[in-house]
């Protein structure tokens, strides 16, 4: 639900720089998957939604996700 909200807000005012960062994050994830590096892929998989939340420009959403992300992360 949070990602859907973030995506909607991102699309409303995404900048070229933000779009490039999202593309980089998806490319990085695909590279790690192709290398079959599950740990690196898991780390890369965290970056995309964090960028979405950041790009949403919603301070409450950013604070909520920043505080909840550590509980979702895998210990590396």
């Amino acid at each position: 639900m949070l990602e859907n909200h973030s995506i909607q807000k991102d699309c409303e005012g995404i900048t070229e720089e933000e779009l490039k960062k999202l593309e980089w994050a998806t490319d990085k994830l695909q590279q790690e998957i192709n290398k079959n590096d599950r740990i690196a892929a898991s780390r890369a998989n965290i970056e995309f939604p964090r960028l979405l939340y950041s790009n949403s420009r919603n301070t409450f959403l950013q604070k909520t996700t920043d505080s909840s992300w550590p509980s979702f992360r895998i210990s590396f």
Side-chain angles (χ1 to χ4, degrees):
M1 192 158 111
L2 291 174
E3 286 182 16
N4 288 337
H5 177 74
S6 292
I7 291 168
Q8 182 181 20
K9 290 297 179 186
D10 275 355
C11 291
E12 291 173 1
I14 195 164
T15 66
E16 191 66 33
E17 182 179 340
E18 291 166 340
L19 183 58
K20 286 180 183 181
K21 287 180 182 180
L22 289 169
E23 290 172 346
W24 173 85
T26 57
D27 290 345
K28 178 70 173 166
L29 176 57
Q30 189 60 56
Q31 290 171 8
E32 302 306 342
I33 290 170
N34 290 344
K35 291 191 291 186
N36 201 30
D37 187 339
R38 292 184 176 134
I39 292 174
S42 295
R43 288 181 181 148
N45 192 41
I46 291 170
E47 188 61 26
F48 188 84
R50 290 195 72 162
L51 287 169
L52 286 178
Y53 300 146
S54 176
N55 294 345
S56 72
R57 295 166 188 78
N58 180 321
T59 308
F60 175 76
L61 180 61
Q62 292 170 356
K63 287 179 182 179
T64 302
T65 56
D66 285 346
S67 65
S68 62
W69 264 108
S71 63
F72 295 123
R73 289 187 181 170
I74 299 171
S75 297
F76 297 107

